Amino acid sequence: MFDIFNSIRSHSDGPFQVTRQTIIGDILDLDNTTAPYFLEIGMHCLGCPASRGESIEEACAVHGVDCDALIQKLNDHLAAKAKA
């Protein structure tokens, strides 16, 4: 969990970027307003410890979701909030 906070601190040239390896729980801890993006693609188990420990790539594979599309939506959302 603390890795994401260190990543944010060291990422001085813009907002945090979600990747395929980013852990879902870390994203939700960073910004809980990202939850609807997971819910809209059928990831309704966000409170489950197992799902919070999955990477974006793992979760997308299990749910049959386009990983790159979800990553783009999450990064767009985080960038918009960073500008606000």
Side-chain angles (χ1 to χ4, degrees):
M1 175 170 109
F2 296 107
D3 288 341
I4 193 165
F5 297 113
N6 292 330
S7 297
I8 293 167
R9 275 191 218 113
S10 65
H11 194 75
S12 60
D13 59 339
F16 175 76
Q17 291 289 300
V18 174
T19 69
R20 288 175 171 265
Q21 289 73 40
T22 306
I23 303 300
I24 291 174
D26 290 342
I27 298 167
L28 293 168
D29 290 343
L30 170 69
D31 184 343
N32 63 6
T33 66
T34 58
Y37 294 99
F38 295 105
L39 296 172
E40 79 180 12
I41 60 174
M43 294 182 190
H44 299 284
C45 51
L46 295 179
C48 171
S51 67
R52 286 184 55 88
E54 288 182 324
S55 69
I56 292 287
E57 186 171 42
E58 292 167 331
C60 287
V62 168
H63 291 277
V65 172
D66 180 351
C67 190
D68 295 325
L70 177 59
I71 290 169
Q72 186 65 50
K73 284 182 181 183
L74 291 167
N75 283 327
D76 289 347
H77 175 79
L78 294 171
K81 285 192 75 174
K83 290 179 184 178

PDB file of all heavy atoms in Angstrom, residues 4-30:
ATOM      1  N   ILE A   4       2.459   2.986  -3.401  1.00  0.00           N
ATOM      2  CA  ILE A   4       1.770   3.965  -4.244  1.00  0.00           C
ATOM      3  C   ILE A   4       2.034   5.389  -3.762  1.00  0.00           C
ATOM      4  O   ILE A   4       2.213   6.297  -4.551  1.00  0.00           O
ATOM      5  CB  ILE A   4       0.254   3.683  -4.334  1.00  0.00           C
ATOM      6  CG1 ILE A   4      -0.348   4.527  -5.459  1.00  0.00           C
ATOM      7  CG2 ILE A   4      -0.445   3.965  -3.031  1.00  0.00           C
ATOM      8  CD1 ILE A   4      -1.707   4.093  -5.869  1.00  0.00           C
ATOM      9  N   PHE A   5       2.110   5.579  -2.455  1.00  0.00           N
ATOM     10  CA  PHE A   5       2.366   6.922  -1.936  1.00  0.00           C
ATOM     11  C   PHE A   5       3.780   7.363  -2.275  1.00  0.00           C
ATOM     12  O   PHE A   5       4.008   8.519  -2.605  1.00  0.00           O
ATOM     13  CB  PHE A   5       2.113   6.980  -0.437  1.00  0.00           C
ATOM     14  CG  PHE A   5       0.677   6.700  -0.098  1.00  0.00           C
ATOM     15  CD1 PHE A   5       0.325   5.556   0.595  1.00  0.00           C
ATOM     16  CD2 PHE A   5      -0.334   7.555  -0.506  1.00  0.00           C
ATOM     17  CE1 PHE A   5      -0.999   5.288   0.880  1.00  0.00           C
ATOM     18  CE2 PHE A   5      -1.658   7.294  -0.226  1.00  0.00           C
ATOM     19  CZ  PHE A   5      -1.991   6.148   0.473  1.00  0.00           C
ATOM     20  N   ASN A   6       4.729   6.439  -2.230  1.00  0.00           N
ATOM     21  CA  ASN A   6       6.095   6.771  -2.625  1.00  0.00           C
ATOM     22  C   ASN A   6       6.150   7.072  -4.114  1.00  0.00           C
ATOM     23  O   ASN A   6       6.885   7.960  -4.538  1.00  0.00           O
ATOM     24  CB  ASN A   6       7.052   5.631  -2.277  1.00  0.00           C
ATOM     25  CG  ASN A   6       7.207   5.480  -0.784  1.00  0.00           C
ATOM     26  OD1 ASN A   6       7.095   6.446  -0.039  1.00  0.00           O
ATOM     27  ND2 ASN A   6       7.454   4.263  -0.340  1.00  0.00           N
ATOM     28  N   SER A   7       5.393   6.363  -4.911  1.00  0.00           N
ATOM     29  CA  SER A   7       5.344   6.612  -6.350  1.00  0.00           C
ATOM     30  C   SER A   7       4.782   7.989  -6.642  1.00  0.00           C
ATOM     31  O   SER A   7       5.260   8.696  -7.519  1.00  0.00           O
ATOM     32  CB  SER A   7       4.477   5.567  -7.056  1.00  0.00           C
ATOM     33  OG  SER A   7       5.021   4.298  -6.926  1.00  0.00           O
ATOM     34  N   ILE A   8       3.765   8.373  -5.910  1.00  0.00           N
ATOM     35  CA  ILE A   8       3.148   9.677  -6.125  1.00  0.00           C
ATOM     36  C   ILE A   8       4.136  10.778  -5.777  1.00  0.00           C
ATOM     37  O   ILE A   8       4.300  11.733  -6.518  1.00  0.00           O
ATOM     38  CB  ILE A   8       1.866   9.819  -5.282  1.00  0.00           C
ATOM     39  CG1 ILE A   8       0.810   8.850  -5.793  1.00  0.00           C
ATOM     40  CG2 ILE A   8       1.333  11.244  -5.325  1.00  0.00           C
ATOM     41  CD1 ILE A   8      -0.352   8.683  -4.857  1.00  0.00           C
ATOM     42  N   ARG A   9       4.823  10.629  -4.656  1.00  0.00           N
ATOM     43  CA  ARG A   9       5.787  11.640  -4.243  1.00  0.00           C
ATOM     44  C   ARG A   9       6.911  11.782  -5.254  1.00  0.00           C
ATOM     45  O   ARG A   9       7.385  12.858  -5.510  1.00  0.00           O
ATOM     46  CB  ARG A   9       6.383  11.259  -2.885  1.00  0.00           C
ATOM     47  CG  ARG A   9       5.534  11.702  -1.761  1.00  0.00           C
ATOM     48  CD  ARG A   9       6.285  11.556  -0.455  1.00  0.00           C
ATOM     49  NE  ARG A   9       5.346  11.111   0.537  1.00  0.00           N
ATOM     50  CZ  ARG A   9       5.359   9.939   1.126  1.00  0.00           C
ATOM     51  NH1 ARG A   9       6.283   9.068   0.873  1.00  0.00           N
ATOM     52  NH2 ARG A   9       4.451   9.626   1.996  1.00  0.00           N
ATOM     53  N   SER A  10       7.349  10.669  -5.843  1.00  0.00           N
ATOM     54  CA  SER A  10       8.490  10.728  -6.756  1.00  0.00           C
ATOM     55  C   SER A  10       8.082  11.070  -8.185  1.00  0.00           C
ATOM     56  O   SER A  10       8.918  11.245  -9.041  1.00  0.00           O
ATOM     57  CB  SER A  10       9.232   9.390  -6.745  1.00  0.00           C
ATOM     58  OG  SER A  10       8.421   8.366  -7.262  1.00  0.00           O
ATOM     59  N   HIS A  11       6.778  11.158  -8.450  1.00  0.00           N
ATOM     60  CA  HIS A  11       6.279  11.420  -9.799  1.00  0.00           C
ATOM     61  C   HIS A  11       5.935  12.901  -9.908  1.00  0.00           C
ATOM     62  O   HIS A  11       4.775  13.292  -9.907  1.00  0.00           O
ATOM     63  CB  HIS A  11       5.054  10.539 -10.068  1.00  0.00           C
ATOM     64  CG  HIS A  11       4.680  10.485 -11.509  1.00  0.00           C
ATOM     65  ND1 HIS A  11       5.378   9.766 -12.423  1.00  0.00           N
ATOM     66  CD2 HIS A  11       3.676  11.078 -12.194  1.00  0.00           C
ATOM     67  CE1 HIS A  11       4.819   9.906 -13.611  1.00  0.00           C
ATOM     68  NE2 HIS A  11       3.788  10.697 -13.496  1.00  0.00           N
ATOM     69  N   SER A  12       6.956  13.737 -10.007  1.00  0.00           N
ATOM     70  CA  SER A  12       6.743  15.177  -9.934  1.00  0.00           C
ATOM     71  C   SER A  12       6.321  15.815 -11.248  1.00  0.00           C
ATOM     72  O   SER A  12       5.953  16.974 -11.271  1.00  0.00           O
ATOM     73  CB  SER A  12       8.023  15.844  -9.438  1.00  0.00           C
ATOM     74  OG  SER A  12       9.081  15.557 -10.332  1.00  0.00           O
ATOM     75  N   ASP A  13       6.375  15.096 -12.354  1.00  0.00           N
ATOM     76  CA  ASP A  13       6.057  15.707 -13.639  1.00  0.00           C
ATOM     77  C   ASP A  13       4.604  15.539 -14.056  1.00  0.00           C
ATOM     78  O   ASP A  13       4.254  15.808 -15.180  1.00  0.00           O
ATOM     79  CB  ASP A  13       6.992  15.165 -14.724  1.00  0.00           C
ATOM     80  CG  ASP A  13       6.900  13.663 -14.892  1.00  0.00           C
ATOM     81  OD1 ASP A  13       6.442  12.979 -13.953  1.00  0.00           O
ATOM     82  OD2 ASP A  13       7.285  13.161 -15.969  1.00  0.00           O
ATOM     83  N   GLY A  14       3.744  15.139 -13.164  1.00  0.00           N
ATOM     84  CA  GLY A  14       2.337  15.018 -13.495  1.00  0.00           C
ATOM     85  C   GLY A  14       1.617  14.096 -12.540  1.00  0.00           C
ATOM     86  O   GLY A  14       2.183  13.655 -11.548  1.00  0.00           O
ATOM     87  N   PRO A  15       0.349  13.800 -12.827  1.00  0.00           N
ATOM     88  CA  PRO A  15      -0.439  12.951 -11.938  1.00  0.00           C
ATOM     89  C   PRO A  15       0.048  11.506 -11.963  1.00  0.00           C
ATOM     90  O   PRO A  15       0.727  11.078 -12.906  1.00  0.00           O
ATOM     91  CB  PRO A  15      -1.858  13.060 -12.500  1.00  0.00           C
ATOM     92  CG  PRO A  15      -1.659  13.405 -13.932  1.00  0.00           C
ATOM     93  CD  PRO A  15      -0.404  14.243 -13.982  1.00  0.00           C
ATOM     94  N   PHE A  16      -0.309  10.781 -10.937  1.00  0.00           N
ATOM     95  CA  PHE A  16       0.003   9.356 -10.861  1.00  0.00           C
ATOM     96  C   PHE A  16      -0.549   8.649 -12.089  1.00  0.00           C
ATOM     97  O   PHE A  16      -1.659   8.963 -12.533  1.00  0.00           O
ATOM     98  CB  PHE A  16      -0.617   8.773  -9.588  1.00  0.00           C
ATOM     99  CG  PHE A  16      -0.458   7.291  -9.482  1.00  0.00           C
ATOM    100  CD1 PHE A  16       0.753   6.742  -9.136  1.00  0.00           C
ATOM    101  CD2 PHE A  16      -1.522   6.459  -9.751  1.00  0.00           C
ATOM    102  CE1 PHE A  16       0.899   5.369  -9.036  1.00  0.00           C
ATOM    103  CE2 PHE A  16      -1.383   5.091  -9.658  1.00  0.00           C
ATOM    104  CZ  PHE A  16      -0.164   4.544  -9.300  1.00  0.00           C
ATOM    105  N   GLN A  17       0.189   7.720 -12.648  1.00  0.00           N
ATOM    106  CA  GLN A  17      -0.246   6.969 -13.829  1.00  0.00           C
ATOM    107  C   GLN A  17      -0.520   5.513 -13.452  1.00  0.00           C
ATOM    108  O   GLN A  17       0.335   4.835 -12.901  1.00  0.00           O
ATOM    109  CB  GLN A  17       0.833   7.003 -14.914  1.00  0.00           C
ATOM    110  CG  GLN A  17       1.023   8.364 -15.534  1.00  0.00           C
ATOM    111  CD  GLN A  17      -0.146   8.743 -16.415  1.00  0.00           C
ATOM    112  OE1 GLN A  17      -0.465   8.067 -17.384  1.00  0.00           O
ATOM    113  NE2 GLN A  17      -0.808   9.830 -16.069  1.00  0.00           N
ATOM    114  N   VAL A  18      -1.712   5.053 -13.760  1.00  0.00           N
ATOM    115  CA  VAL A  18      -2.083   3.657 -13.574  1.00  0.00           C
ATOM    116  C   VAL A  18      -1.458   2.842 -14.697  1.00  0.00           C
ATOM    117  O   VAL A  18      -1.468   3.276 -15.855  1.00  0.00           O
ATOM    118  CB  VAL A  18      -3.621   3.498 -13.585  1.00  0.00           C
ATOM    119  CG1 VAL A  18      -4.027   2.043 -13.528  1.00  0.00           C
ATOM    120  CG2 VAL A  18      -4.247   4.297 -12.447  1.00  0.00           C
ATOM    121  N   THR A  19      -0.924   1.674 -14.360  1.00  0.00           N
ATOM    122  CA  THR A  19      -0.374   0.746 -15.346  1.00  0.00           C
ATOM    123  C   THR A  19      -1.041  -0.608 -15.171  1.00  0.00           C
ATOM    124  O   THR A  19      -1.831  -0.801 -14.236  1.00  0.00           O
ATOM    125  CB  THR A  19       1.155   0.575 -15.175  1.00  0.00           C
ATOM    126  OG1 THR A  19       1.404  -0.132 -13.944  1.00  0.00           O
ATOM    127  CG2 THR A  19       1.869   1.919 -15.169  1.00  0.00           C
ATOM    128  N   ARG A  20      -0.685  -1.542 -15.997  1.00  0.00           N
ATOM    129  CA  ARG A  20      -1.218  -2.895 -15.885  1.00  0.00           C
ATOM    130  C   ARG A  20      -0.856  -3.546 -14.551  1.00  0.00           C
ATOM    131  O   ARG A  20      -1.575  -4.385 -14.050  1.00  0.00           O
ATOM    132  CB  ARG A  20      -0.705  -3.777 -17.029  1.00  0.00           C
ATOM    133  CG  ARG A  20      -1.313  -3.434 -18.367  1.00  0.00           C
ATOM    134  CD  ARG A  20      -0.678  -4.258 -19.488  1.00  0.00           C
ATOM    135  NE  ARG A  20      -1.410  -4.064 -20.711  1.00  0.00           N
ATOM    136  CZ  ARG A  20      -2.383  -4.884 -21.135  1.00  0.00           C
ATOM    137  NH1 ARG A  20      -2.691  -5.936 -20.435  1.00  0.00           N
ATOM    138  NH2 ARG A  20      -3.020  -4.624 -22.252  1.00  0.00           N
ATOM    139  N   GLN A  21       0.255  -3.140 -13.972  1.00  0.00           N
ATOM    140  CA  GLN A  21       0.726  -3.741 -12.729  1.00  0.00           C
ATOM    141  C   GLN A  21       0.207  -3.027 -11.478  1.00  0.00           C
ATOM    142  O   GLN A  21       0.415  -3.494 -10.366  1.00  0.00           O
ATOM    143  CB  GLN A  21       2.261  -3.744 -12.689  1.00  0.00           C
ATOM    144  CG  GLN A  21       2.892  -4.734 -13.656  1.00  0.00           C
ATOM    145  CD  GLN A  21       2.791  -4.284 -15.111  1.00  0.00           C
ATOM    146  OE1 GLN A  21       2.956  -3.109 -15.416  1.00  0.00           O
ATOM    147  NE2 GLN A  21       2.482  -5.212 -16.006  1.00  0.00           N
ATOM    148  N   THR A  22      -0.483  -1.905 -11.646  1.00  0.00           N
ATOM    149  CA  THR A  22      -0.987  -1.171 -10.488  1.00  0.00           C
ATOM    150  C   THR A  22      -2.036  -2.006  -9.763  1.00  0.00           C
ATOM    151  O   THR A  22      -2.898  -2.627 -10.383  1.00  0.00           O
ATOM    152  CB  THR A  22      -1.598   0.180 -10.918  1.00  0.00           C
ATOM    153  OG1 THR A  22      -0.641   0.901 -11.692  1.00  0.00           O
ATOM    154  CG2 THR A  22      -1.996   1.009  -9.710  1.00  0.00           C
ATOM    155  N   ILE A  23      -1.947  -2.020  -8.459  1.00  0.00           N
ATOM    156  CA  ILE A  23      -2.856  -2.806  -7.617  1.00  0.00           C
ATOM    157  C   ILE A  23      -4.155  -2.022  -7.400  1.00  0.00           C
ATOM    158  O   ILE A  23      -4.136  -0.825  -7.102  1.00  0.00           O
ATOM    159  CB  ILE A  23      -2.183  -3.124  -6.257  1.00  0.00           C
ATOM    160  CG1 ILE A  23      -0.850  -3.870  -6.479  1.00  0.00           C
ATOM    161  CG2 ILE A  23      -3.117  -3.903  -5.338  1.00  0.00           C
ATOM    162  CD1 ILE A  23      -0.973  -5.193  -7.207  1.00  0.00           C
ATOM    163  N   ILE A  24      -5.279  -2.719  -7.535  1.00  0.00           N
ATOM    164  CA  ILE A  24      -6.593  -2.085  -7.430  1.00  0.00           C
ATOM    165  C   ILE A  24      -6.771  -1.390  -6.086  1.00  0.00           C
ATOM    166  O   ILE A  24      -7.249  -0.255  -6.030  1.00  0.00           O
ATOM    167  CB  ILE A  24      -7.715  -3.110  -7.671  1.00  0.00           C
ATOM    168  CG1 ILE A  24      -7.696  -3.531  -9.141  1.00  0.00           C
ATOM    169  CG2 ILE A  24      -9.077  -2.542  -7.287  1.00  0.00           C
ATOM    170  CD1 ILE A  24      -8.651  -4.645  -9.483  1.00  0.00           C
ATOM    171  N   GLY A  25      -6.383  -2.038  -5.006  1.00  0.00           N
ATOM    172  CA  GLY A  25      -6.516  -1.424  -3.689  1.00  0.00           C
ATOM    173  C   GLY A  25      -5.741  -0.127  -3.578  1.00  0.00           C
ATOM    174  O   GLY A  25      -6.191   0.820  -2.918  1.00  0.00           O
ATOM    175  N   ASP A  26      -4.579  -0.058  -4.221  1.00  0.00           N
ATOM    176  CA  ASP A  26      -3.781   1.168  -4.188  1.00  0.00           C
ATOM    177  C   ASP A  26      -4.497   2.305  -4.915  1.00  0.00           C
ATOM    178  O   ASP A  26      -4.459   3.450  -4.472  1.00  0.00           O
ATOM    179  CB  ASP A  26      -2.408   0.940  -4.812  1.00  0.00           C
ATOM    180  CG  ASP A  26      -1.511   0.061  -3.966  1.00  0.00           C
ATOM    181  OD1 ASP A  26      -1.794  -0.108  -2.759  1.00  0.00           O
ATOM    182  OD2 ASP A  26      -0.514  -0.462  -4.506  1.00  0.00           O
ATOM    183  N   ILE A  27      -5.141   1.982  -6.021  1.00  0.00           N
ATOM    184  CA  ILE A  27      -5.881   3.004  -6.771  1.00  0.00           C
ATOM    185  C   ILE A  27      -7.051   3.518  -5.932  1.00  0.00           C
ATOM    186  O   ILE A  27      -7.270   4.723  -5.831  1.00  0.00           O
ATOM    187  CB  ILE A  27      -6.393   2.446  -8.116  1.00  0.00           C
ATOM    188  CG1 ILE A  27      -5.223   2.023  -8.989  1.00  0.00           C
ATOM    189  CG2 ILE A  27      -7.273   3.467  -8.830  1.00  0.00           C
ATOM    190  CD1 ILE A  27      -5.623   1.196 -10.188  1.00  0.00           C
ATOM    191  N   LEU A  28      -7.774   2.600  -5.327  1.00  0.00           N
ATOM    192  CA  LEU A  28      -8.924   2.996  -4.507  1.00  0.00           C
ATOM    193  C   LEU A  28      -8.489   3.785  -3.282  1.00  0.00           C
ATOM    194  O   LEU A  28      -9.172   4.724  -2.872  1.00  0.00           O
ATOM    195  CB  LEU A  28      -9.718   1.759  -4.091  1.00  0.00           C
ATOM    196  CG  LEU A  28     -10.420   1.030  -5.238  1.00  0.00           C
ATOM    197  CD1 LEU A  28     -10.935  -0.324  -4.770  1.00  0.00           C
ATOM    198  CD2 LEU A  28     -11.531   1.875  -5.812  1.00  0.00           C
ATOM    199  N   ASP A  29      -7.349   3.432  -2.691  1.00  0.00           N
ATOM    200  CA  ASP A  29      -6.835   4.178  -1.546  1.00  0.00           C
ATOM    201  C   ASP A  29      -6.394   5.572  -1.963  1.00  0.00           C
ATOM    202  O   ASP A  29      -6.547   6.530  -1.214  1.00  0.00           O
ATOM    203  CB  ASP A  29      -5.667   3.440  -0.883  1.00  0.00           C
ATOM    204  CG  ASP A  29      -6.100   2.172  -0.161  1.00  0.00           C
ATOM    205  OD1 ASP A  29      -7.312   2.014   0.108  1.00  0.00           O
ATOM    206  OD2 ASP A  29      -5.224   1.334   0.120  1.00  0.00           O
ATOM    207  N   LEU A  30      -5.840   5.687  -3.150  1.00  0.00           N
ATOM    208  CA  LEU A  30      -5.407   6.981  -3.668  1.00  0.00           C
ATOM    209  C   LEU A  30      -6.606   7.888  -3.926  1.00  0.00           C
ATOM    210  O   LEU A  30      -6.601   9.057  -3.580  1.00  0.00           O
ATOM    211  CB  LEU A  30      -4.613   6.799  -4.963  1.00  0.00           C
ATOM    212  CG  LEU A  30      -4.298   8.062  -5.761  1.00  0.00           C
ATOM    213  CD1 LEU A  30      -3.284   8.915  -5.007  1.00  0.00           C
ATOM    214  CD2 LEU A  30      -3.770   7.699  -7.133  1.00  0.00           C
TER     215      LEU A  30
END
